[in-house]
Amino acid sequence: MEARFLLGFLLLLSLSSFAFAIYEDQVGLADWHKRYIGKVKHAVFHTQKTGRRRVVVSTEENAIASLDLRTGDILWRHVLGKNDAVDQIGLSLGKYVLTLSSQGSVLRAWNLPDGQMVWETDLQISNPSNSFLHVLGNVKSGRDSLSLVCNGGSIRAVSSIDGLVVWKKDLSVDGLKLKHVFQPPESDTIYAIGFIDSSLIALYHINAKTGELLKHATQASSVDLSSEISAISSDSLVALDTSRSNLLLIKFMAGTITNHKLPLSDIVQDFSGLAELIPTKSNDIFVVKTPSNVAFIKVKGDNEIELIGKADEAGIVSDSLILSEEEQAFAVVHHSNNAISFQVRINGREALTEGIKIEDHRGHVKRVFLNNYVRTDKSHGFRALIVMEDESLLLMQQGEVVWSREDGLASISDAVVAELPVEKEGGVSVVEVEHTLLEWLKGHMLKLKGTLMLSTPDDMAAIQAMHLKSTERNKMTRDHNGFRKLIIVLTQSGKVYALHTGDGRIVWAHLLTPLLQSESCPSPSVLTLRNWRVPHRKALQENPSILLVGRCGAGPESHGFLFIVDSYSGKVLETQILDHSIAEVVPLPLADSSEQKLHLVIDDKLNAHLYPRGSDALEVFVREMANMYYYKVENAKEVIKGYAFKKGCSTGSSAYCFGTRELWSVVFPSDSERIVATARRKINEVVHTQAKIMTNQDVMYKYISKNILFVATVSPKAAGGIGSAAPDEAWLVAYLIDTVTGRILHRVTHQGAQGPVHAVVSENWVVYHYFNLRAHRYEMTVIEIYDQSRADNKDVMKLVLGKHNLTAPITSYSRPEIATKSQSYFFTHSVKAIAVTTTARGITSKQILIGTIGDQVLALDKWYLDPRQTANPSQEEKEEGIIPLTDTLPIIPQSYVTHTRQVGDLRGIMSFPANLESTTHVFSYGIDLFYTRIAPSRTYDSLTDEFSYVLLLITVVVLIVAILVTWAMSQKKDLQEKWR
């Protein structure tokens, strides 16, 4: 009895490693999380003598962040809403960060050290427009100070302590746009200067404490004024005219306004083109940037100006930095030949020039922010925060790049997956083998201590460090399980990155748009990313490659271009500037003899151009052209059209250009329906079996078709945001359309529902998410489609023995006999993105990946969304795993694949298979990036990395010893029995 108990205990102990959980030391083992901020547009330095030095920035991705000035790490960050763009940032009282957003409608204060929001004020501006923020320095009440928000013709004074509006003044003048506000030292009067319809100059005197209008004056301008101004003193400013070739010197003294026109050609020799005025502070100096140089100009006396400095090369100029009452500094940055020239000018004279080499994949300098510090010899030193063309961020100081951030990864627009190269065979030294063996034994001994709960905190830290330093995880070769891959992403700046799935590091990066910039391609922009070559059997010696497609201009009629890039190295293999436009790129399920995938580029005249251009590719496409179809969704016209291809092209006689002919169209009535969402199956999705065995042992066949298109429409009044229509005025209609024939396979109407709609299609089902106005809750609906044309093949034994008839050809031209099952559920969260897991052979159960409003990714098992659910399932249904029907989908905290992390401004989720059928990769992106591996049905085909082989070996040894001991005891007992 004791021996049996011992064996049972040891067996249970050996199986304990299979428990499914995530421990503290597993964090970062199969996932990684990268935080970014996006392209910086505003920056304010905070470099006090004590405490942590930082720079506060706002970005084009509506993020506000505080960065450590020494390392570039994010100290804190907040991401505002999509329609809450930051207009300006500033510091108040040395401890608050003020942000003005939503076109001057919202003012917020954030605590500088930790980023906690102190207050938020809705300024209730009726007509939001270009606005600016000005923090007063002279008007203080105790420890408070006022911040002025100017928007159009209105001024609001807000307390920096609590955000209350102390006073507001609406200057009721049509066409008035305030441009500048200032307050002379030791004065309680605010001077506000603005333009009225670009022809009048207006000056207002306002009491800073009460907001009372004391005096105002207007003066006609001698030129039409632009929006660019620069304050040069307490009683004067400079403005550009609309032609950007003349300056207007404006002075206001004793309540009167005078202006004087100054042609730039009289100031700057050889001036031509359009000028730009750089914002400056008040010390009678301003800066004008022209296409060929940068001019530093000083105002002397009445209407007299003097050119005091000139940079012969046009570069990027920073805003002015006040050094003292008499001095202000500017940074002028030039970029050429992979080098940055950093020049600091104080009052126009050159004070510092430094140069530094940078990587060639960063492009040109776009913005520069200047900051100073005091050296040990009491002189001024300078540092510059530089924003590059690829949206990366550099801090330059003393001729070196102190740190850099790849914030272009915050604006990913497309992504594909590529395999790593096969590991080459080669010998391994004995030293490497011994070292690996020792590390292996050490690691498993530590795991054994952890399993037996004998590990110390130092042991746990050592285990996690060993995980993170694992060479197997980060090798640049593919592995047997398919865990190591390259995620190749395209950003909005036109830069391509290759990320390693092991730790998220950048393997290579390439900015492509500067390679094409020329007179024939003035403003290139990359649109999409596709796999071009995926070597398998015929072309194993070739590296995989990707295709990037873009336009040379902003309009859809602009000529396109193609890039072929090596997936391993990022090297550009081929560049083509096309002689036609690009409206859409259609990947085909075909490849030529070199395994280059065929693509059709549709131009704005609906001609299809075949790539790659080769006789082999042309032969393959022409042979299969009769089975190729294309559809186009025209949201503006509320119509979907289907096309077939034909030989001959309307724009030329090229053999690789094909015409299209319209086969069908589905026109939605514009007075009752608006297209809001479409979705279709992945072109490379694998379906393991078409048959589905029901509880009564019948067989139903999934309607598997890659031509199914899901379309969602809403009523015109419900096309806006939630609440834009009453429940009786809102409805949502879901369609399933065959894109070969245009036949509507299924149609369902949801009364009282509206978008936003997010949908995903997989195998024979579609799941979509929307808002129910009647219930005031979000809903998710599932629709499954089954093929009724094979109703005779329902015998399970025939299916097992292979005697069922599945050889009849399937064609989209015949009217399908289908049956649908559907069910709707309430869902707690709003959804930002939705996807479905994919595996290598399609055997593993599906999970729906949902990007929630909280910027996390939830994995919801598909069997929660089973339309066959009933309130009281039968015993057979329970045995099949069908759960009872509930009105709300359950959300299990452990189902968040992002754990406690957030992916800021989540925009997309992609899933791609590993070689192991049980495992799939998940990559989600927004401002942040998150990657992980999940097993929807557990890792049934492999042992986990945490499996303790040492414990298994000890268990086997103990079992063998126990067997031998019990055998000896049994033999001894039998012998004693015989001697009796």
Side-chain angles (χ1 to χ4, degrees):
M1 186 66 181
E2 292 179 356
R4 292 181 180 177
F5 177 79
L6 178 62
L7 291 175
F9 173 77
L10 291 174
L11 183 60
L12 180 63
L13 189 62
S14 67
L15 294 176
S16 62
S17 301
F18 291 97
F20 182 78
I22 294 180
Y23 298 98
E24 181 182 359
D25 63 291
Q26 291 178 302
V27 175
L29 178 60
D31 60 73
W32 45 262
H33 183 224
K34 306 291 183 181
R35 300 182 71 206
Y36 300 100
I37 57 175
K39 185 178 181 180
V40 172
K41 61 180 181 181
H42 303 114
V44 177
F45 292 88
H46 186 259
T47 55
Q48 76 280 12
K49 294 182 179 179
T50 60
R52 177 173 279 172
R53 297 180 179 180
R54 66 187 73 213
V55 56
V56 181
V57 299
S58 68
T59 69
E60 294 185 358
E61 279 69 33
N62 300 343
I64 306 160
S66 174
L67 305 180
D68 191 319
L69 207 52
R70 298 182 184 275
T71 63
D73 294 335
I74 299 175
L75 302 177
W76 55 263
R77 187 197 68 185
H78 296 283
V79 182
L80 305 182
K82 184 180 296 184
N83 300 319
D84 195 10
V86 179
D87 304 313
Q88 192 175 342
I89 61 175
L91 298 179
S92 177
L93 300 177
K95 61 180 180 180
Y96 297 133
V97 178
L98 300 181
T99 60
L100 185 65
S101 60
S102 296
Q103 294 184 314
S105 299
V106 180
L107 184 66
R108 298 180 179 92
W110 313 84
N111 194 29
L112 180 61
D114 58 10
Q116 295 293 322
M117 189 169 69
V118 181
W119 50 261
E120 177 184 88
T121 298
D122 187 352
L123 300 177
Q124 299 179 354
I125 296 175
S126 56
N127 297 310
S129 60
N130 294 332
S131 57
F132 62 91
L133 174 69
H134 180 78
V135 180
L136 297 179
N138 297 334
V139 180
K140 294 184 178 179
S141 177
R143 296 184 178 181
D144 196 1
S145 68
L146 296 182
S147 301
L148 300 183
V149 177
C150 301
N151 189 297
S154 67
I155 304 176
R156 283 162 172 75
V158 182
S159 168
S160 296
I161 294 293
D162 53 19
L164 296 177
V165 178
V166 179
W167 56 262
K168 63 180 179 179
K169 189 66 181 177
D170 291 322
L171 305 172
S172 302
V173 179
D174 293 337
L176 172 64
K177 293 183 179 180
L178 295 176
K179 296 297 181 182
H180 182 63
V181 173
F182 72 96
Q183 181 186 19
E186 306 301 328
S187 173
D188 289 338
T189 301
I190 299 171
Y191 296 90
I193 301 97
F195 301 153
I196 302 176
D197 296 330
S198 303
S199 59
L200 290 177
I201 305 168
L203 172 65
Y204 297 90
H205 299 229
I206 300 173
N207 187 298
K209 294 183 178 180
T210 63
E212 178 186 359
L213 180 62
L214 304 177
K215 187 190 298 185
H216 78 278
T218 58
Q219 173 71 38
S221 171
S222 56
V223 296
D224 290 333
L225 298 167
S226 70
S227 60
E228 293 186 17
I229 69 164
S230 178
I232 54 176
S233 69
S234 60
D235 60 357
S236 59
L237 56 86
V238 172
L240 272 176
D241 70 345
T242 53
S243 68
R244 295 182 176 270
S245 59
N246 297 292
L247 293 173
L248 192 69
L249 180 61
I250 304 171
K251 293 195 173 184
F252 34 89
M253 294 181 293
T256 61
I257 306 172
T258 60
N259 65 87
H260 182 66
K261 177 182 175 182
L262 301 168
L264 275 172
S265 57
D266 296 344
I267 307 169
V268 183
Q269 294 182 355
D270 302 327
F271 167 76
S272 63
L274 302 178
E276 179 184 351
L277 202 57
I278 305 300
T280 58
K281 302 297 190 296
S282 302
N283 68 345
D284 295 330
I285 296 176
F286 63 96
V287 180
V288 175
K289 179 184 174 184
T290 69
S292 58
N293 52 48
V294 178
F296 298 85
I297 305 170
K298 183 177 180 64
V299 178
K300 300 176 62 178
D302 295 335
N303 303 330
E304 293 184 10
I305 59 175
E306 177 186 3
L307 182 66
I308 60 174
K310 184 178 177 182
D312 292 332
E313 295 183 51
I316 304 299
V317 185
S318 71
D319 292 350
S320 64
L321 173 68
I322 295 295
L323 302 179
S324 65
E325 293 183 359
E326 301 296 329
E327 291 183 326
Q328 62 177 328
F330 298 87
V332 182
V333 179
H334 304 92
H335 178 269
S336 62
N337 298 327
N338 302 333
I340 290 179
S341 173
F342 173 61
Q343 188 180 93
V344 177
R345 288 181 171 260
I346 300 177
N347 288 355
R349 70 179 187 277
E350 186 176 335
L352 174 68
T353 300
E354 296 175 343
I356 187 171
K357 292 285 186 181
I358 63 168
E359 300 92 336
D360 57 357
H361 59 74
R362 297 196 182 278
H364 297 286
V365 177
K366 289 299 182 182
R367 292 191 184 99
V368 58
F369 304 93
L370 184 65
N371 180 243
N372 71 306
Y373 59 94
V374 179
R375 296 192 179 110
T376 54
D377 59 356
K378 305 302 181 181
S379 63
H380 286 290
F382 296 93
R383 61 173 69 94
L385 192 69
I386 300 175
V387 183
M388 303 300 294
E389 184 179 358
D390 66 343
E391 302 182 2
S392 61
L393 190 65
L394 313 176
L395 182 69
M396 183 176 174
Q397 183 175 329
Q398 296 181 353
E400 295 181 354
V401 174
V402 180
W403 51 260
S404 63
R405 295 180 52 87
E406 293 290 346
D407 285 302
L409 286 168
S411 60
I412 291 176
S413 59
D414 204 354
V416 297
V417 179
E419 294 287 350
L420 285 165
V422 179
E423 187 171 5
K424 295 181 180 179
E425 296 182 1
V428 182
S429 66
V430 176
V431 177
E432 291 177 343
V433 172
E434 291 178 349
H435 176 74
T436 304
L437 181 61
L438 290 175
E439 290 294 324
W440 182 84
L441 290 173
K442 180 182 176 181
H444 280 286
M445 289 304 297
L446 287 173
K447 289 180 184 179
L448 177 60
K449 292 177 67 177
T451 303
L452 299 176
M453 298 183 181
L454 300 176
S455 58
T456 63
D458 292 338
D459 292 336
M460 297 297 294
I463 293 172
Q464 189 167 6
M466 290 179 66
H467 289 333
L468 297 177
K469 293 180 181 179
S470 172
T471 55
E472 291 295 324
R473 174 189 177 189
N474 300 326
K475 288 174 65 175
M476 279 300 298
T477 56
R478 68 182 69 176
D479 60 314
H480 176 71
N481 293 330
F483 292 164
R484 295 195 297 265
K485 294 179 183 288
L486 287 179
I487 304 175
I488 302 178
V489 300
L490 170 67
T491 65
Q492 293 180 2
S493 64
K495 189 170 184 178
V496 185
Y497 295 85
L499 308 177
H500 196 290
T501 57
D503 56 0
R505 71 182 184 275
I506 298 173
V507 178
W508 56 261
H510 208 99
L511 184 64
L512 300 174
T513 48
L515 301 178
L516 283 175
Q517 203 155 16
S518 61
E519 293 183 1
S520 60
C521 196
S523 55
S525 60
V526 185
L527 300 176
T528 187
L529 182 66
R530 294 286 187 270
N531 279 313
W532 179 253
R533 173 184 278 132
V534 182
H536 289 294
R537 296 176 297 275
K538 301 178 183 178
L540 283 176
Q541 302 303 319
E542 299 287 341
N543 288 355
S545 54
I546 56 172
L547 168 69
L548 294 110
V549 184
R551 293 195 188 110
C552 287
E557 70 284 349
S558 302
H559 285 191
F561 61 84
L562 303 179
F563 276 113
I564 310 297
V565 178
D566 188 286
S567 299
Y568 291 164
S569 63
K571 179 182 177 181
V572 177
L573 304 177
E574 185 180 349
T575 302
Q576 296 183 40
I577 296 182
L578 310 180
D579 57 357
H580 56 82
S581 61
I582 296 178
E584 191 174 352
V585 180
V586 181
L588 301 177
L590 304 173
D592 61 8
S593 58
S594 61
E595 297 196 1
Q596 294 181 119
K597 294 193 172 183
L598 272 57
H599 292 75
L600 287 177
V601 176
I602 312 297
D603 63 19
D604 59 338
K605 297 180 176 59
L606 290 179
N607 293 309
H609 304 265
L610 178 66
Y611 293 93
R613 297 201 164 181
S615 58
D616 185 23
L618 183 61
E619 181 183 353
V620 171
F621 177 73
V622 170
R623 185 170 62 246
E624 299 291 338
M625 185 173 63
N627 296 320
M628 296 295 162
Y629 301 90
Y630 161 69
Y631 74 92
K632 183 179 181 182
V633 180
E634 300 180 12
N635 290 319
K637 299 179 180 179
E638 311 301 336
V639 63
I640 303 176
K641 295 181 179 180
Y643 300 89
F645 300 103
K646 63 181 180 180
K647 291 185 177 181
C649 186
S650 62
T651 58
S653 57
S654 172
Y656 300 96
C657 183
F658 299 87
T660 57
R661 56 187 178 90
E662 184 177 329
L663 294 178
W664 56 265
S665 63
V666 177
V667 181
F668 300 94
S670 58
D671 57 343
S672 61
E673 294 185 49
R674 296 279 194 276
I675 299 175
V676 294
T678 60
R680 64 174 303 172
R681 279 181 58 195
K682 290 183 179 180
I683 192 172
N684 58 350
E685 184 184 34
V686 178
V687 179
H688 175 64
T689 178
Q690 188 179 0
K692 185 172 184 179
I693 301 176
M694 313 302 286
T695 56
N696 58 1
Q697 303 303 311
D698 280 348
V699 179
M700 293 191 68
Y701 294 94
K702 304 173 186 177
Y703 183 76
I704 304 296
S705 173
K706 293 185 178 181
N707 302 318
I708 290 181
L709 174 67
F710 169 83
V711 180
T713 65
V714 298
S715 61
K717 291 186 177 180
I722 294 175
S724 59
D728 294 336
E729 300 172 329
W731 56 83
L732 183 149
V733 186
Y735 296 88
L736 295 177
I737 300 175
D738 190 303
T739 57
V740 173
T741 62
R743 185 177 293 114
I744 297 176
L745 303 176
H746 183 67
R747 179 181 183 273
V748 61
T749 302
H750 302 273
Q751 295 293 339
Q754 69 171 128
V757 178
H758 298 272
V760 61
V761 182
S762 177
E763 293 189 351
N764 68 318
W765 53 265
V766 57
V767 171
Y768 52 101
H769 176 277
Y770 54 92
F771 188 76
N772 188 325
L773 289 170
R774 298 185 187 276
H776 303 285
R777 300 175 71 177
Y778 289 99
E779 280 189 2
M780 291 185 76
T781 295
V782 57
I783 301 174
E784 292 186 355
I785 316 172
Y786 294 95
D787 188 353
Q788 293 293 96
S789 62
R790 302 179 183 183
D792 297 335
N793 299 324
K794 289 187 176 182
D795 193 337
V796 177
M797 291 306 299
K798 287 184 178 180
L799 181 66
V800 173
L801 298 174
K803 295 183 178 180
H804 54 295
N805 180 20
L806 290 179
T807 59
I810 300 175
T811 173
S812 292
Y813 291 114
S814 61
R815 178 175 293 274
E817 300 177 21
I818 62 171
T820 60
K821 297 178 181 291
S822 62
Q823 189 64 263
S824 297
Y825 308 84
F826 290 125
F827 189 67
T828 306
H829 295 297
S830 174
V831 169
K832 286 187 171 183
I834 191 169
V836 64
T837 57
T838 57
T839 54
R841 297 165 187 82
I843 301 173
T844 304
S845 300
K846 300 284 186 178
Q847 282 187 334
I848 300 167
L849 304 172
I850 301 171
T852 66
I853 192 65
D855 290 327
Q856 292 186 293
V857 179
L858 174 71
L860 185 66
D861 288 312
K862 169 60 176 65
W863 53 270
Y864 282 122
L865 292 129
D866 192 334
R868 295 179 297 155
Q869 291 175 358
T870 59
N872 297 307
S874 63
Q875 184 62 34
E876 292 81 5
E877 290 175 334
K878 290 180 181 179
E879 291 175 357
E880 188 183 346
I882 298 177
I883 61 176
L885 176 64
T886 58
D887 61 347
T888 304
L889 290 172
I891 295 179
I892 304 171
Q894 291 81 2
S895 297
Y896 285 99
V897 299
T898 48
H899 314 307
T900 59
R901 299 184 178 97
Q902 290 182 310
V903 183
D905 191 25
L906 179 64
R907 292 190 300 272
I909 305 170
M910 64 179 294
S911 172
F912 49 98
N915 293 347
L916 284 179
E917 171 58 26
S918 64
T919 307
T920 182
H921 302 263
V922 176
F923 177 63
S924 56
Y925 55 89
I927 291 182
D928 300 333
L929 307 181
F930 181 82
Y931 161 85
T932 188
R933 297 194 306 267
I934 62 174
S937 301
R938 307 290 179 90
T939 52
Y940 56 82
D941 52 358
S942 66
L943 296 175
T944 65
D945 294 334
E946 296 304 307
F947 185 81
S948 178
Y949 293 93
V950 173
L951 183 59
L952 177 62
L953 180 61
I954 293 174
T955 304
V956 172
V957 171
V958 171
L959 285 173
I960 293 174
V961 171
I963 290 172
L964 292 175
V965 169
T966 54
W967 178 80
M969 292 173 61
S970 176
Q971 290 292 104
K972 183 178 180 181
K973 185 177 179 181
D974 290 343
L975 183 60
Q976 291 175 351
E977 289 291 335
K978 291 180 180 180
W979 277 102
R980 287 182 180 178

